[in-house]
Amino acid sequence: MENDTQTSGAPSIGKTVVGLIVLLLIVGGFVWYGSPTKSQESIKIGGAFGLTGICAEFGEGELKAATLAIEEANASGGVNGKRLELVSEDTQCENRTTVSAFQKLINVDKVSAVIGPTWGDTFQSGYPISRDADVLAIGASSALESLEFTGASNDLVFSTWFPQHREIDALEEYIAKQGLKSVSIVHDQDPFGAMMGKLFKDQAARHGLEVIEEEEVAVGVQDYRTFIIKVKAEKPDAIFISFVSSDHKAIFMKQAKELGIVTPIFASADTENPALLSSFASALEGVVYTFPKGAKGYDEFARKYRERFGEEPKASASHAYDAMHALAAALQKSGSQSGKELQNALLTLSIPGATYDMVEFTEKHQVSGGEFEIKTVKDGKFVNVK
């Protein structure tokens, strides 16, 4: 009977053990599925940066500066307890690949917002995709006047690049103070180049300047001699140039000097490109351009950038740093990842910046404020005009 008892009890014990194992598996499974994973605890931010192609000098700096800003935000506790995670794609500085980058970031990576694209004034093709998905995009090197110029919407599109109309005002004011009256404009058909030409023409009269000639060239043209000869015949007091690539400015100036042009040539802030100077120093010698004055916090940003990456910040690096910190602040403030909610938060945001003392946005989604200084290339260096 004792053996029978033990034998009959074994199945009961076995059932109990099996039941406990099943229960543990169920509870374990609930905990495993129910607990937030690392990816669930993070907020994915897309980076649409031009890492190859004509805008790579800008895009490389934007990626590094955005990375630095995210590292700082995470070191300070992230956003509402969640870490920020940067997922970047190379737009290759082309509209077709900008579309591909936005599609992957939004539809595959499921990012909550996008920093970029690099040169969003020229490469606007990603914006319809982000708008349709209610995803906000903040560009670090996007002149938003180009959206208005092409008739595109600025909904869910912001930029920490300085407003171009303010830059043109500063340049025209300087030209007028030099006693120059007549100006010829040469620009390409790119949205940025064409927009800059239109702004210069529209704002010239209030500075007492007269635009006597406007030459528009196809994008990518590198032989400007026909246009230079036409401009030379007009005998303007000054020439203003704007092209999609800084390289084309240098090529224009090289050819102008070869054709005997001594008329002062003026350009915009993207002229200050160290890589360009190393290749075209003699051609750029004497060009006059505007450049934004650094904010009080710029030197500290530059120090951290150098320590982290072992190089000086590139053209739009500080703008990307400000864009990333502004986005983090908007995510914190709104408590939402909705594009519309983030847009509302950005419009009421005010935080210290590296490019501007305070990062604030206007109703046109541009940064407000900012001052410009006048610079030139002298003896192979970028220097302030005395």
Side-chain angles (χ1 to χ4, degrees):
M1 290 295 294
E2 184 177 352
N3 289 338
D4 290 342
T5 303
Q6 289 172 343
T7 303
S8 64
S12 176
I13 293 170
K15 288 179 181 179
T16 302
V17 171
V18 170
L20 286 170
I21 291 171
V22 170
L23 180 61
L24 287 171
L25 287 171
I26 292 171
V27 171
F30 174 77
V31 171
W32 188 77
Y33 281 108
S35 297
T37 65
K38 184 177 179 181
S39 62
Q40 289 172 323
E41 293 175 343
S42 67
I43 299 173
K44 286 186 177 180
I45 306 300
F49 303 121
L51 304 178
T52 54
I54 62 173
C55 65
E57 186 76 12
F58 282 69
E60 290 168 1
E62 290 172 10
L63 171 58
K64 290 175 180 176
T67 299
L68 176 62
I70 278 188
E71 290 173 351
E72 291 178 354
N74 287 337
S76 299
V79 172
N80 295 322
K82 297 181 179 180
R83 291 179 59 79
L84 296 178
E85 177 185 348
L86 182 63
V87 182
S88 67
E89 286 292 321
D90 182 6
T91 66
Q92 298 177 28
C93 305
E94 294 182 7
N95 268 306
R96 177 180 54 82
T97 38
T98 296
V99 168
S100 301
F102 268 68
Q103 286 175 333
K104 181 179 182 298
L105 290 170
I106 292 168
N107 298 324
V108 178
D109 298 311
K110 307 295 183 183
V111 300
S112 300
V114 175
I115 301 294
T118 305
W119 288 11
D121 36 53
T122 293
F123 308 113
Q124 302 178 19
S125 55
Y127 294 141
I129 297 166
S130 55
R131 266 195 293 269
D132 287 347
D134 188 35
V135 171
L136 184 132
I138 308 183
S141 51
S142 306
L144 292 193
E145 286 96 339
S146 66
L147 296 183
E148 185 177 349
F149 178 80
T150 58
S153 170
N154 70 346
D155 188 36
L156 299 183
V157 178
F158 284 73
S159 179
T160 50
W161 190 251
F162 45 82
Q164 301 300 148
H165 66 275
R166 292 178 62 89
E167 179 184 11
I168 293 295
D169 264 338
L171 188 62
E172 291 184 334
E173 182 179 346
Y174 175 80
I175 292 171
K177 284 182 178 178
Q178 305 315 299
L180 307 175
K181 297 292 184 183
S182 61
V183 184
S184 287
I185 301 172
V186 183
H187 63 79
D188 61 17
Q189 296 169 339
D190 173 78
F192 176 79
M195 174 270 296
M196 290 293 277
K198 183 177 186 301
L199 282 178
F200 195 101
K201 192 173 182 178
D202 290 348
Q203 297 175 194
R206 69 170 177 247
H207 296 284
L209 301 176
E210 179 189 4
V211 175
I212 60 173
E213 181 75 17
E214 180 180 9
E215 294 290 340
E216 184 175 76
V217 305
V219 175
V221 166
Q222 295 194 28
D223 186 348
Y224 300 105
R225 286 173 292 187
T226 299
F227 303 98
I228 293 168
I229 290 169
K230 287 177 68 176
V231 168
K232 186 177 181 180
E234 293 291 334
K235 298 182 179 179
D237 295 334
I239 301 170
F240 173 71
I241 59 175
S242 184
F243 305 110
V244 62
S245 168
S246 298
D247 287 9
H248 292 176
K249 289 182 183 179
I251 292 168
F252 179 95
M253 291 194 63
K254 181 176 184 295
Q255 293 173 1
K257 288 179 179 180
E258 290 170 351
L259 291 171
I261 291 283
V262 294
T263 306
I265 297 178
F266 297 86
S268 52
D270 53 310
T271 302
E272 187 157 321
N273 181 330
L276 183 70
L277 191 64
S278 65
S279 302
F280 294 101
S282 60
L284 290 171
E285 188 78 11
V287 65
V288 176
Y289 62 96
T290 44
F291 201 75
K293 289 183 179 179
K296 296 174 184 175
Y298 182 84
D299 289 344
E300 176 62 12
F301 156 72
R303 181 191 65 77
K304 291 186 290 189
Y305 188 99
R306 285 192 298 270
E307 288 181 359
R308 176 68 174 81
F309 302 110
E311 64 182 28
E312 291 294 328
K314 297 183 178 179
S316 51
S318 66
H319 300 264
Y321 180 82
D322 284 346
M324 189 66 251
H325 274 301
L327 177 58
L331 286 163
Q332 181 81 29
K333 183 175 183 177
S334 67
S336 170
Q337 296 174 36
S338 155
K340 291 291 185 185
E341 293 296 325
L342 291 174
Q343 177 165 276
N344 292 336
L346 283 176
L347 287 171
T348 58
L349 192 71
S350 181
I351 62 170
T355 318
Y356 307 90
D357 288 333
M358 299 301 296
V359 178
E360 300 171 342
F361 294 95
T362 69
E363 71 234 2
K364 291 190 175 182
H365 302 178
Q366 297 173 297
V367 285
S368 60
E371 297 180 47
F372 293 88
E373 54 194 7
I374 305 299
K375 302 188 72 173
T376 189
V377 175
K378 184 177 181 181
D379 298 328
K381 296 180 181 179
F382 297 120
V383 298
N384 282 35
V385 171
K386 299 297 183 182

